[in-house]
Amino acid sequence: MKDRKSKIFLLILCFAISLGMIGCRAAGTSEPPLDSDPFLNPDKNQGGNPQSSNIIIEAGVISPVEKAMTLEYNGSPVTLEYQFKSSGTCTMGLMIFVDGFLQPYQVIGSAQETTMHTVDLEMDDPKSFQLEFIPVCGNVGETLTVVFANVYQAKVLELSGDVNTFGNYQKISQPHPWHLEVNAGLDTKSKNISSLYQTKPFTPEEIQSFERSGSDGQIRSILDDRIYLDICKNDEVLREKIVIRQDDVFEIRAYGNLTGKYRISLYGDFQQIPINGYEYIEVDVKKDEYVSIPLTICLEDIVPYKNMFAVIAPVAAVSESNTYTELSKSDSLYLIYNE
């Protein structure tokens, strides 16, 4: 079983997965440089070379310090202290999901609630902040899943030119979930949730296309112990930018072998926006199948924004295969109107 730590190195694969293929990104000339993945461990991926240009991010709860990675709601707001540390200059943001729902919180000392607090980091200069929240869901006696989602370069990008890429901007890490024990009653608002989606089986050829040969000669599937999320149109996974017209129909796809219940939400410039009129789509991810959700874009909902992405967050901390579930994010898309 994976080692559970309250302060961890956060891992993200630095390649983009589409249905049946791996897509490479081309770096444009008008956007930030394509950095090495900030969530990779340099000892494993860069040989620990101090001259590497990698920016390595450490993030996690530093108080309370509990080996069980468990918080408690006892009638007062849940409080904790969170810390970011970076080996280079960057901006980090924190989003919190409780049982798949986006959790608003308040940074102590701030007058307003937020769904993503950001900090500007310098090399090896850790910054911590205290926060508190009242869970958005839960009943007495329940244990909820809490995911602290760390957003690298949490900035809205305005791009130009024929070829653009977000590089690693807006990439979200996939840490182990925490638990939240509900020991007191909550006055929670009902959520606007849909369970309208389809599941479609992968063909044997598609399943085979996910297989890779390891250095030991063993064949493994890149679907194992992972969950993926894509925004598509006409069976094509969208990368980098998207042309938006009234009533365009796209598709959200979720797949991977971390099977179980998840909730999918959509964001414009880090603000939650509706999916077909709903806050969340609740789905069951199954082995060797993919979830398909038709997505009708309403210009009224999306026109104020420049960037768009979707997030899939777990309801349960452990999957049906008895491994830890994870949060995943689609590629960020730059929105182009009236083209």
Side-chain angles (χ1 to χ4, degrees):
M1 181 173 290
K2 299 177 181 177
D3 184 26
R4 303 167 73 181
K5 298 180 180 178
S6 63
K7 187 176 183 181
I8 58 176
F9 279 104
L10 305 166
L11 304 178
I12 288 184
L13 295 181
C14 59
F15 46 75
I17 307 296
S18 64
L19 291 178
M21 66 176 63
I22 293 182
C24 298
R25 300 171 182 269
T29 59
S30 56
E31 68 281 338
L34 181 60
D35 297 322
S36 296
D37 194 323
F39 298 115
L40 290 175
N41 187 333
D43 294 332
K44 292 183 178 180
N45 297 279
Q46 298 292 335
N49 182 357
Q51 302 302 317
S52 170
S53 62
N54 237 10
I55 292 179
I56 306 301
I57 306 298
E58 291 180 75
V61 176
I62 59 174
S63 176
V65 179
E66 294 193 23
K67 294 181 180 179
M69 298 174 68
T70 299
L71 303 169
E72 294 184 7
Y73 174 72
N74 296 312
S76 300
V78 178
T79 60
L80 59 96
E81 186 172 4
Y82 205 82
Q83 181 176 274
F84 286 115
K85 182 180 178 181
S86 172
S87 64
T89 301
C90 67
T91 298
M92 293 298 300
L94 175 66
M95 301 174 77
I96 302 174
F97 290 83
V98 175
D99 265 14
F101 296 123
L102 181 65
Q103 174 67 61
Y105 60 91
Q106 186 166 355
V107 174
I108 295 175
S110 172
Q112 293 185 334
E113 206 172 49
T114 184
T115 55
M116 188 178 75
H117 177 65
T118 61
V119 295
D120 294 323
L121 299 176
E122 300 294 334
M123 183 174 64
D124 298 328
D125 182 21
K127 287 189 177 179
S128 62
F129 53 94
Q130 293 181 315
L131 64 91
E132 61 181 19
F133 65 87
I134 296 176
V136 292
C137 60
N139 297 307
V140 175
E142 289 185 329
T143 299
L144 310 179
T145 298
V146 182
V147 176
F148 297 99
N150 307 285
V151 188
Y152 176 70
Q153 295 293 48
K155 303 174 181 180
V156 177
L157 298 189
E158 296 196 32
L159 309 178
S160 61
D162 294 333
V163 179
N164 291 303
T165 175
F166 284 78
N168 287 309
Y169 275 51
Q170 301 184 1
K171 181 169 284 188
I172 294 182
S173 71
Q174 302 168 355
H176 287 323
W178 277 56
H179 302 279
L180 173 62
E181 295 179 352
V182 181
N183 301 322
L186 286 162
D187 183 18
T188 57
K189 297 180 180 179
S190 61
K191 310 293 189 299
N192 187 14
I193 306 172
S194 172
S195 57
L196 298 176
Y197 67 93
Q198 294 180 307
T199 56
K200 301 178 181 180
F202 285 122
T203 67
E205 291 77 16
E206 287 172 326
I207 292 174
Q208 187 176 16
S209 72
F210 290 116
E211 294 178 347
R212 303 290 183 270
S213 179
S215 57
D216 58 1
Q218 296 293 316
I219 301 297
R220 297 179 177 87
S221 173
I222 59 175
L223 295 178
D224 290 344
D225 299 328
R226 294 302 310 276
I227 191 78
Y228 298 108
L229 194 65
D230 288 321
I231 298 177
C232 309
K233 187 174 184 180
N234 299 328
D235 283 331
E236 179 184 354
V237 177
L238 298 173
R239 310 289 187 199
E240 301 168 356
K241 60 183 179 180
I242 179 176
V243 176
I244 300 292
R245 300 183 180 89
Q246 182 67 41
D247 298 325
D248 270 348
V249 178
F250 301 90
E251 180 188 19
I252 296 176
R253 290 180 177 176
Y255 53 101
N257 290 339
L258 281 178
T259 57
K261 189 178 296 295
Y262 293 81
R263 294 188 173 113
I264 297 174
S265 47
L266 189 66
Y267 299 86
D269 295 355
F270 303 107
Q271 302 299 313
Q272 190 172 0
I273 55 179
I275 302 177
N276 303 332
Y278 296 93
E279 292 178 274
Y280 300 90
I281 310 295
E282 188 171 282
V283 303
D284 284 303
V285 176
K286 300 180 179 180
K287 184 179 175 73
D288 296 335
E289 297 183 355
Y290 68 92
V291 167
S292 174
I293 303 169
L295 170 63
T296 301
I297 299 292
C298 176
L299 282 180
E300 185 176 327
D301 293 332
I302 198 71
V303 74
Y305 306 113
K306 293 289 187 182
N307 304 164
M308 182 177 74
F309 61 85
V311 169
I312 183 167
V315 174
V318 177
S319 76
E320 295 171 2
S321 59
N322 203 34
T323 55
Y324 285 107
T325 50
E326 66 180 15
L327 175 145
S328 187
K329 167 186 170 292
S330 74
D331 274 21
S332 291
L333 300 174
Y334 182 68
L335 303 176
I336 300 172
Y337 303 96
N338 301 321
E339 182 175 285

